[in-house]
Amino acid sequence: MEATAKSNFTGHDEHVAPKRASVFWRPTSKTGLMSWLTTVDHKRIGFLYGVFALFFFIVGGLEALLIRLQLAVPNNDLLSAQQYNELFTMHGTTMIFLAIMPLSAAFFNFMIPLQIGARDVAFPRLNSFSLWTFVAGAAIINLGWFMKAGAPDAGWFGYAPLTSSTYSPDHSIDMWVMGLQLLGVASIAASLNFIVTIINMRAPGMTMMRLPVFTWMALFTSFLLILSFPAITIALVELMMDRLFGTNFFEVSNGGMPILWQHLFWIFGHPEVYILILPAMGVISEILPTFSRKPLFGYPIVVFSGAIIGFMGFTVWSHHMFTTGMGTVATAAFALATMAIAVPTGVKIFNWIGTLWGGHLQMRTPMMFALGFIWMFMVGGFSGIMHSAAPADAQQQDSYFVVAHFHYVLIGGSLFGLLAAIHYWFPLMFGRIVSEFWGKLSFWIIFTGFNITFFPMHFLGLNGMPRRTFTYDSNLGWNTPNFIATIGALILGVGIAIYFITIVYTYFKGQKIGRDPWDARTLEWSLPCPPPEYNFAVIPKVHARDAFWYEKQHKEEIAKENAAQAKEDKAHGGIHMPFASIYPLVASIGLLVAGIGISALDHNKLIVSIIGGVIMVAGIFLWAHEGNEGYHMHADKEEKS
Amino acid sequence: MSHSPATADHGDEENKFQIYIKIAMLLAVITGIEIVFIFLPFPIWLIVTVLVVLSTVKFMYVIFYFMHLKWDKPFCTILFFIGMVLAGGTTWALLLIFGAKDSVPLHSVSTLANYFVG
Amino acid sequence: MSSHADTIDHHHDHTTTTGIPNKKLVMWAFLASDCMFFGVLIATHMIYRLYPPPGAPDPMDIFSIELTSFSTFILLMSSLMMALAVNAIQKNNLKSMRLSLLTTVFFGAIFLGCQVYEFQHFVYAKHLTLTNSIFGSTFYTLTGTHGTHVAIGVFWLILMYVRSFQPAAGIKDKGWFWRGLIHIAAVIGVVIFSMFAVIGLTHTLQAGEGFGAFLSHDFGLLIGLAVTTALSFYLARPRGPVAFGEANAIDVESMGLYWHFVDIVWIVIFTAVYLLEYL
């Protein structure tokens, strides 16, 4: 039965699912709540990741504003110490796990298949499972706000023995642990999917060295995720067993060593920061060539540096522990490795500058954020190098100098990259382009506010202000920088607000555009904006790096190739699309129920956990049994040209 | 247990069955050797080395033959070795750090005396 | 995706860029991740064995090398059976695959049984619990996590075995799934009744009584054994074409990779946790 393709957010289809036992019914609606809950379309899943990420970004931002308001003046009593602890814990956890990572995941989901010339990821239902498990994890982490236990309050890094049941007797830490475990499951599942997709589902002619750099960085990020998350999984398992079953992993009186928590956490935690920055670096490596009207300078070296950064990220974890007394040899070894990791990072920066050099620069909004990224990330890198010298770090550790460093790399780096990506890919995803004026205005206010907030923190740190303290006395010389930082935070908040209002407005009422508004270089721009559900009417043959640029220079050759491929596809029945499915959602709900049972309840823990487990197993079982058949369709005639 | 000849893609196909049986017997024998070896009066460093080597041999036979890596595309081997080498390296680094003099826990009374001496 | 009508190439998937089937690639990537998972857990155990606190239990008083060697050998044999199962289905030999899968389940279940016995022996006879020492915490968590992986594997193997009975499309056989589960339950019944019958026979002979005494004592067990054996064979008799063949070899192979991985982790645990203590 022929079905026509419409824009992926509208329309309905008439294809028929096979008659099976009712439990194997396949959802067929393309609109409405059910279609969103059961979608396996990578573009819709990416969109959902983005919506949740932006929501939690606002939550994390409000948490930050409260922190800054509390610290604006000495001896402030806006927040109690307990509330302050919950806020900085949740701010860190939310921004890292519920904002930046899912925002990166949103772009991985949307763009990877488009950049490699595929119709979807390798395992579409696993993709859906990752999304909903992420939502479940986010829910459990934030449950504490609504419960007597309160939100988690032991820092985003949850050091033992503070997180032991002796010192954190209520459920807030249990929910933090359980939420993170679910997020880990979601991340690993998604990363496995992306690895197989990038390796195994490239269009003909798309060799690895013709891949867009964003896809390469996605591949490295996925490797980092699957290899680093197991460490925190085990650390969290050990902590949970200490809390629930009285084991002695971090219980000193029975031979445990809390320092082990720090090691295991940072074996994950350091690769995690590269997980946060590599996607942004990938975005920048797409935007700079597009808006410099030149290919990326030194493509192989940029890719290779990404790989080196990824690998070396596993060798430097104890630079977070220079002041824990590991001994001279260990400290020196990690200091050396940390200094070394600056080299491939610097190489990338030189290559980006090389890309800009001699280019015909177009200062559009994505370019502004990209240039801001290069500069601000460098500043963060400089303070990072200062940390790598262990003697200097002995003063800087646990001071505001560290806070300045990581906000420069995370906001100036990761966030700027992702804000750039939103502007850059907005036209592709939604068919509308963001106003230059409002985009640039939001950039300048964000840039200004961000620097006013965090630059003074370098001085606060060098002058001894410690982290994670809810107030400070007025005679320590910290008053003015703190006040300035708070003003900066408010400006930053205004900038973010303008940014958000702008993109929401543009989504509904922005100026519509046709194809390829930026005259870009990579395959995703060869599609209509927004792309149809099946992505490519005809899977392209790739002839060179910057595959779309080649297509634009060789229009006739490409048109002939596509026509021939289209004929062949039609003879084989057209485009094959997967059915939607409810079972990944069911499995995630099972995990949610089990997670709540284990971590949030006082009574009936076991029975609720078992019920959750049964739901999860049933979901997976039915998922396996419903089969991975799909349906065939033909592209709209108009899409074929 | 029967196995059909004929549909061979490459030469080892018919012999895979035999190969698996032989390797299983080899693994059993190696395990037996390990168990006997620990009771023999050799220096500890030698026993540890032999055990590590024998375990590695078993490990490699299982992954290259039972898990088919020998006959599969090299990328599968590379992928798995990345995880294995990283895990091994991390374990080794952790043991070095925790084994260092500075990391001896205070409750190890005898070693506490050594700490002040050495 | 349907495969060609001619022979399936189990070593090259022409629909993927590298020729490696997606399911195989994802399993290898997952196993690389699981290496880090077990690596960190084993590291935790070994770290805590470097400087045991005073009064710590001595593994030499607790471990039983005979039991552990036996279960190691059993797991190795289950790995062999798994490899043979994959080999069989790649040659479309369904009966051979089913038998090999069943034997894999059998050996895996024995391994689990040995581990359960070991744990309860350590807790009750040797007084090593999860909470009364750091050694207990790390030992039970590490070997317990491995055991959980084995249990998940056994569960998966049972489901794959039952799946191999799914009737081909168009054949009416609604109850095949539950019949498959009852078949497995009957097989487990055979194992349990045999075990108890052997134990019963041993006790009778040790007490100096004859075979007749055994028959009168444990007649119920023998009836149970006969019934479950007959039920197993009856429920597994062929009922027509099934929707399982060479095309499903990739699923059995992926499952096999997981099972072998659990075996190699045990190779490492056996050396690092048990054998090294004997030095």
Side-chain angles (χ1 to χ4, degrees):
Chain A
M1 185 159 189
E2 217 179 88
T4 51
K6 305 261 163 71
S7 141
N8 59 330
F9 297 131
T10 61
H12 56 274
D13 68 279
E14 291 95 14
H15 63 268
V16 177
K19 274 204 171 357
R20 304 273 293 281
S22 60
V23 75
F24 294 133
W25 135 93
R26 303 306 294 257
T28 52
S29 162
K30 297 278 187 200
T31 53
L33 179 64
M34 207 45 167
S35 75
W36 285 99
L37 295 176
T38 60
T39 184
V40 295
D41 178 357
H42 68 99
K43 301 183 287 299
R44 284 188 143 202
I45 291 176
F47 177 73
L48 287 172
Y49 265 113
V51 166
F52 283 112
L54 292 174
F55 169 73
F56 281 112
F57 180 72
I58 303 282
V59 170
L62 290 172
E63 287 160 349
L65 280 176
L66 285 168
I67 292 173
R68 281 313 324 161
L69 286 174
Q70 163 63 15
L71 293 175
V73 294
N75 294 313
N76 204 359
D77 59 0
L78 174 69
L79 300 170
S80 69
Q82 172 61 28
Q83 288 168 328
Y84 185 85
N85 291 349
E86 290 181 21
L87 281 171
F88 78 69
T89 303
M90 289 307 290
H91 168 70
T93 304
T94 302
M95 284 308 202
I96 290 175
F97 293 106
L98 307 183
I100 298 286
M101 283 176 79
L103 201 47
S104 300
F107 288 113
F108 285 175
N109 256 295
F110 207 107
M111 297 305 158
I112 290 175
L114 302 182
Q115 288 198 331
I116 66 175
R119 296 203 187 286
D120 207 313
V121 293
F123 301 103
R125 287 177 296 175
L126 188 65
N127 207 9
S128 169
F129 172 74
S130 300
L131 169 72
W132 295 117
T133 306
F134 152 69
V135 175
I140 293 185
I141 284 184
N142 280 288
L143 261 185
W145 291 121
F146 307 106
M147 297 177 60
K148 199 179 74 184
D153 59 354
W156 84 276
F157 39 78
Y159 277 11
L162 178 60
T163 42
S164 69
S165 44
T166 321
Y167 298 106
S168 290
D170 59 32
H171 285 307
S172 57
I173 297 300
D174 294 318
M175 291 185 282
W176 179 77
V177 169
M178 210 60 227
L180 278 182
Q181 293 287 43
L182 290 193
L183 293 176
V185 169
S187 289
I188 293 181
S191 302
L192 291 173
N193 219 344
F194 292 137
I195 289 174
V196 176
T197 305
I198 294 171
I199 301 283
N200 250 4
M201 295 186 64
R202 290 168 275 141
M206 177 66 86
T207 62
M208 292 302 286
M209 292 308 273
R210 288 179 181 168
L211 279 179
V213 175
F214 179 72
T215 300
W216 265 115
M217 296 301 124
L219 182 65
F220 295 141
T221 306
S222 301
F223 268 100
L224 283 173
L225 273 161
I226 66 168
L227 294 170
S228 67
F229 252 102
I232 194 179
T233 305
I234 293 296
L236 290 169
V237 162
E238 293 175 359
L239 178 62
M240 203 54 157
M241 294 202 58
D242 273 12
R243 291 178 60 85
L244 282 183
F245 303 121
T247 49
N248 302 303
F249 289 103
F250 311 116
E251 178 53 50
V252 180
S253 60
N254 244 343
M257 291 190 277
I259 194 83
L260 180 63
W261 167 272
Q262 292 192 37
H263 278 287
L264 297 186
F265 180 83
W266 288 115
I267 288 173
F268 154 76
H270 195 81
E272 167 66 10
V273 313
Y274 293 110
I275 289 164
L276 295 172
I277 197 64
L278 282 181
M281 289 181 163
V283 172
I284 300 309
S285 304
E286 302 288 345
I287 289 179
L288 290 179
T290 303
F291 294 98
S292 309
R293 319 289 296 145
K294 278 174 80 206
L296 181 70
F297 186 91
Y299 170 98
I301 283 286
V302 173
V303 168
F304 188 61
S305 317
I308 298 287
I309 291 172
F311 168 69
M312 290 183 73
F314 280 99
T315 62
V316 298
W317 79 84
S318 282
H319 67 219
H320 300 269
M321 299 168 62
F322 278 152
T323 54
T324 57
M326 295 182 293
T328 331
V329 174
T331 306
F334 282 106
L336 207 60
T338 308
M339 292 176 189
I341 207 170
V343 173
T345 317
V347 164
K348 276 182 180 270
I349 303 215
F350 281 119
N351 279 284
W352 289 325
I353 295 174
T355 307
L356 293 165
W357 198 274
H360 179 200
L361 303 189
Q362 308 192 296
M363 303 303 270
R364 313 294 295 273
T365 310
M367 185 64 146
M368 307 290 291
F369 276 105
L371 294 173
F373 169 99
I374 296 180
W375 187 11
M376 295 296 99
F377 181 72
M378 263 171 44
V379 174
F382 295 149
S383 51
I385 274 290
M386 291 168 71
H387 283 317
S388 72
D393 187 67
Q395 189 275 321
Q396 298 154 5
Q397 171 68 3
D398 278 337
S399 77
Y400 262 78
F401 195 83
V402 186
V403 178
H405 160 66
F406 66 69
H407 281 95
Y408 265 86
V409 289
L410 285 177
I411 299 185
S414 303
L415 184 66
F416 273 30
L418 293 167
L419 293 181
I422 292 176
H423 272 272
Y424 180 58
W425 276 314
F426 202 94
L428 177 67
M429 295 188 287
F430 305 115
R432 298 176 193 265
I433 196 161
V434 185
S435 143
E436 275 299 305
F437 172 75
W438 288 104
K440 286 189 169 134
L441 179 68
S442 67
F443 166 75
W444 282 114
I445 300 181
I446 290 173
F447 182 85
T448 311
F450 157 67
N451 277 289
I452 297 178
T453 313
F454 292 103
F455 201 73
M457 291 189 188
H458 292 102
F459 300 103
L460 278 174
L462 292 175
N463 286 329
M465 180 173 177
R467 293 173 69 176
R468 311 178 209 121
T469 45
F470 82 112
T471 192
Y472 53 94
D473 222 342
S474 56
N475 59 346
L476 295 161
W478 300 333
N479 305 359
T480 315
N482 265 298
F483 188 74
I484 295 174
T486 302
I487 300 294
L490 292 168
I491 298 173
L492 178 57
V494 167
I496 296 286
I498 296 176
Y499 184 99
F500 265 74
I501 294 170
T502 306
I503 61 172
V504 171
Y505 174 85
T506 312
Y507 178 84
F508 290 106
K509 286 192 156 27
Q511 175 202 344
K512 290 200 182 177
I513 44 95
R515 290 202 205 202
D516 192 18
W518 309 119
D519 191 19
R521 315 178 73 86
T522 42
L523 273 182
E524 74 271 23
W525 294 107
S526 69
L527 297 174
C529 302
E533 193 189 349
Y534 49 80
N535 298 347
F536 297 90
V538 175
I539 300 288
K541 285 199 180 14
V542 173
H543 295 273
R545 205 175 285 159
D546 284 344
F548 183 45
W549 195 258
Y550 181 95
E551 281 190 11
K552 289 193 278 196
Q553 316 297 330
H554 298 87
K555 287 208 165 86
E556 250 184 53
E557 177 192 346
I558 299 298
K560 265 203 234 144
E561 255 175 18
N562 285 351
Q565 183 68 41
K567 251 172 96 177
E568 216 184 292
D569 288 342
K570 205 161 176 195
H572 282 135
I575 298 169
H576 177 265
M577 299 291 291
F579 277 124
S581 173
I582 189 110
Y583 294 117
L585 176 64
V586 171
S588 300
I589 290 174
L591 275 174
L592 175 67
V593 171
I596 291 176
I598 296 173
S599 65
L601 302 180
D602 285 314
H603 311 287
N604 302 319
K605 284 171 101 87
L606 187 61
I607 186 70
V608 173
S609 311
I610 290 179
I611 291 174
V614 167
I615 296 174
M616 183 193 82
V617 171
I620 296 176
F621 178 77
L622 292 167
W623 173 354
H625 269 266
E626 72 181 350
N628 63 348
E629 59 205 1
Y631 61 97
H632 280 85
M633 65 187 301
H634 296 279
D636 276 346
K637 293 222 169 9
E638 58 187 68
E639 314 294 13
K640 281 195 182 156
S641 56
Chain B
M1 208 138 311
S2 63
H3 64 285
S4 50
T7 50
D9 282 325
H10 40 270
D12 339 284
E13 198 67 61
E14 299 178 26
N15 292 329
K16 278 239 188 84
F17 179 80
Q18 320 270 12
I19 292 175
Y20 291 155
I21 301 279
K22 284 188 193 146
I23 289 176
M25 292 200 280
L26 179 66
L27 296 176
V29 164
I30 293 179
T31 310
I33 293 175
E34 286 176 338
I35 294 164
V36 167
F37 206 74
I38 53 180
F39 293 112
L40 298 180
F42 291 127
I44 290 187
W45 65 266
L46 178 64
I47 301 185
V48 172
T49 312
V50 167
L51 284 180
V52 168
V53 166
L54 288 179
S55 298
T56 309
V57 166
K58 285 199 290 190
F59 193 98
M60 293 298 157
Y61 267 109
V62 174
I63 62 175
F64 282 106
Y65 288 91
F66 284 176
M67 294 172 89
H68 220 256
L69 277 183
K70 178 171 177 221
W71 299 294
D72 284 331
K73 305 256 182 320
F75 185 71
C76 293
T77 306
I78 295 171
L79 185 54
F80 184 70
F81 268 70
I82 290 173
M84 203 180 71
V85 167
L86 203 57
T90 308
T91 304
W92 172 78
L94 280 172
L95 286 171
L96 269 186
I97 294 171
F98 277 93
K101 202 178 72 170
D102 302 88
S103 295
V104 174
L106 290 176
H107 62 59
S108 280
V109 175
S110 59
T111 44
L112 196 59
N114 290 332
Y115 184 86
F116 287 114
V117 170
Chain C
M1 282 285 189
S2 56
S3 50
H4 292 133
D6 43 341
T7 49
I8 298 175
D9 185 343
H10 293 289
H11 303 296
H12 185 91
D13 182 344
H14 69 277
T15 62
T16 64
T17 310
T18 58
I20 306 169
N22 283 346
K23 285 180 183 171
K24 190 189 268 200
L25 191 57
V26 81
M27 183 52 80
W28 276 115
F30 171 71
L31 294 181
S33 174
D34 227 14
C35 271
M36 277 299 283
F37 185 83
F38 276 106
V40 172
L41 207 43
I42 293 173
T44 300
H45 177 84
M46 291 176 75
I47 285 168
Y48 278 125
R49 294 300 300 143
L50 288 172
Y51 301 108
D58 184 3
M60 290 296 88
D61 297 331
I62 301 174
F63 283 167
S64 156
I65 194 68
E66 299 88 350
L67 177 63
T68 320
S69 308
F70 174 70
S71 53
T72 305
F73 176 75
I74 289 286
L75 201 60
L76 279 175
M77 290 303 109
S78 80
S79 215
L80 168 67
M81 289 293 122
M82 187 71 235
L84 294 180
V86 174
N87 198 35
I89 191 63
Q90 284 179 344
K91 298 182 183 148
N92 216 13
N93 189 339
L94 195 58
K95 195 156 168 219
S96 193
M97 183 216 73
R98 283 185 185 145
L99 196 56
S100 302
L101 266 192
L102 212 51
T103 328
T104 312
V105 169
F106 178 69
F107 283 135
I110 294 182
F111 177 87
L112 283 175
C114 288
Q115 194 151 62
V116 167
Y117 173 76
E118 188 188 41
F119 280 16
Q120 67 89 24
H121 180 69
F122 286 4
V123 168
Y124 292 115
K126 304 291 182 181
H127 308 296
L128 177 75
T129 69
L130 187 60
T131 58
N132 68 358
S133 63
I134 184 64
F135 179 71
S137 297
T138 59
F139 173 78
Y140 287 120
T141 306
L142 173 58
T143 53
T145 304
H146 176 265
T148 307
H149 275 72
V150 175
I152 292 173
V154 167
F155 183 63
W156 189 0
L157 284 160
I158 289 175
L159 289 177
M160 184 68 77
Y161 177 80
V162 173
R163 166 74 180 80
S164 76
F165 287 96
Q166 181 171 334
I171 308 243
K172 266 209 162 307
D173 189 0
K174 277 192 159 184
W176 68 271
F177 179 70
W178 303 106
R179 192 173 63 233
L181 285 186
I182 299 175
H183 166 63
I184 283 278
V187 168
I188 293 176
V190 168
V191 171
I192 294 177
F193 281 122
S194 316
M195 272 172 50
F196 279 110
V198 166
I199 293 173
L201 180 61
T202 316
H203 284 157
T204 326
L205 292 176
Q206 278 179 336
E209 296 161 12
F211 196 66
F214 164 68
L215 282 179
S216 59
H217 266 156
D218 297 313
F219 197 62
L221 285 178
L222 293 175
I223 295 289
L225 182 58
V227 168
T228 47
T229 310
L231 204 56
S232 305
F233 279 102
Y234 174 75
L235 291 172
R237 73 177 205 286
R239 282 159 205 269
V242 290
F244 198 91
E246 232 183 302
N248 303 86
I250 183 63
D251 297 306
V252 182
E253 189 176 2
S254 296
M255 185 177 69
L257 289 177
Y258 174 83
W259 188 259
H260 292 304
F261 179 76
V262 169
D263 183 34
I264 58 178
V265 170
W266 183 255
I267 290 174
V268 177
I269 291 178
F270 182 55
T271 309
V273 175
Y274 291 91
L275 293 182
L276 287 182
E277 296 289 349
Y278 284 83
L279 306 177

